[in-house]
């Protein structure tokens, strides 16, 4: 069985992430969406909320399993019995960072390989941080995130704000 792991914070999960997952699900027998608890990132949603949103967003993809993790990725990979890491690439600027991660992971465990996938062109510009910023400023992000994620953003941010530009109406 070919099992791959797609790690990230997914704060929040975007349509770009979902696109990468759908592509991955056609390439591998099982894809584990590994929701990372990141100590160095300040997340809008807790790891429990991000895990639940990911489970809801991926419930119709049969070979996807959502698992939270808070350890070194190479250790998690061993626990999941996988040697394939999936990473999304949107632009050349992503490549340098992702290459460093892939090479370090391979140094830590020579059996690991990283597969880079590009999202569909319609999602190539999309990032979780961009979605968070747009939503926090009252912009409509409904077409950028799965519906379950959109509902959570609305509830978390009190979105859309009554007066998104501040001051008097």
């Amino acid at each position: 069985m070919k099992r791959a792991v797609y790690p990230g914070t997914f704060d929040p999960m975007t349509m770009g992430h979902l696109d990468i997952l759908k592509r991955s699900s056609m390439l591998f027998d099982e894809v584990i969406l590994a929701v990372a608890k990141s100590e160095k990132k300040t997340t809008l949603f807790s790891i429990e909320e991000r895990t639940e949103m990911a489970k809801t967003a991926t419930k119709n993809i049969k070979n996807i399993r959502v698992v939270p993790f808070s350890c070194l990725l190479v250790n998690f990979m061993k626990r999941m019995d996988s040697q394939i890491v999936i990473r999304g690439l949107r632009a050349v600027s992503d490549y340098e960072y992702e290459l460093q991660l892939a090479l370090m992971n391979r140094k830590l465990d020579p059996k690991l390989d990283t597969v880079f996938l590009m999202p569909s062109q319609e999602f190539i510009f999309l990032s979780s941080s961009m979605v968070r910023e747009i939503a926090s400023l009252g912009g409509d992000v409904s077409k950028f995130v799965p519906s379950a994620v959109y509902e959570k953003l609305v509830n978390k941010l009190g979105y859309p704000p009554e007066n998104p530009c501040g001051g008097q109406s």
Side-chain angles (χ1 to χ4, degrees):
M1 173 185 262
K2 285 287 182 196
R3 178 179 294 128
V5 173
Y6 181 26
T9 51
F10 305 104
D11 185 45
M13 174 176 269
T14 69
M15 296 305 283
H17 294 131
L18 203 52
D19 183 63
I20 295 290
L21 276 169
K22 287 176 183 175
R23 290 165 184 272
S24 299
S25 73
M26 293 184 281
L27 298 172
F28 302 100
D29 299 316
E30 181 181 36
V31 178
I32 297 169
L33 176 70
V35 181
K37 179 179 183 177
S38 178
E39 299 300 331
K40 65 181 190 174
K41 284 187 180 181
T42 303
T43 57
L44 177 62
F45 294 101
S46 70
I47 190 165
E48 294 82 13
E49 290 171 312
R50 291 180 283 125
T51 300
E52 189 55 42
M53 285 186 288
K55 285 180 179 178
T56 303
T58 60
K59 68 182 176 192
N60 294 324
I61 309 171
K62 293 185 184 345
N63 59 338
I64 302 289
R65 182 165 40 129
V66 180
V67 179
F69 80 106
S70 59
C71 60
L72 189 63
L73 180 61
V74 295
N75 295 337
F76 181 76
M77 298 293 293
K78 287 175 186 165
R79 199 173 93 208
M80 294 295 109
D81 192 28
S82 177
Q83 297 173 343
I84 303 164
V85 179
I86 297 169
R87 298 296 295 175
L89 286 179
R90 294 171 303 203
V92 173
S93 56
D94 287 346
Y95 179 74
E96 285 186 47
Y97 175 72
E98 294 295 343
L99 178 64
Q100 287 178 346
L101 284 179
L103 293 173
M104 180 55 77
N105 285 333
R106 188 182 299 159
K107 195 69 162 170
L108 293 171
D109 184 346
K111 295 181 214 150
L112 287 187
D113 274 314
T114 301
V115 174
F116 296 109
L117 295 174
M118 291 177 48
S120 296
Q121 191 173 357
E122 64 189 295
F123 304 122
I124 204 127
F125 64 91
L126 197 53
S127 71
S128 292
S129 57
M130 194 177 294
V131 166
R132 284 193 313 271
E133 184 170 357
I134 292 167
S136 72
L137 295 171
D140 181 11
V141 296
S142 60
K143 59 186 165 268
F144 304 137
V145 296
S147 59
V149 173
Y150 179 73
E151 289 173 23
K152 294 284 188 186
L153 277 168
V154 167
N155 291 334
K156 178 75 80 171
L157 298 173
Y159 166 87
E162 285 184 37
N163 190 357
C165 293
Q168 296 182 1
S169 300

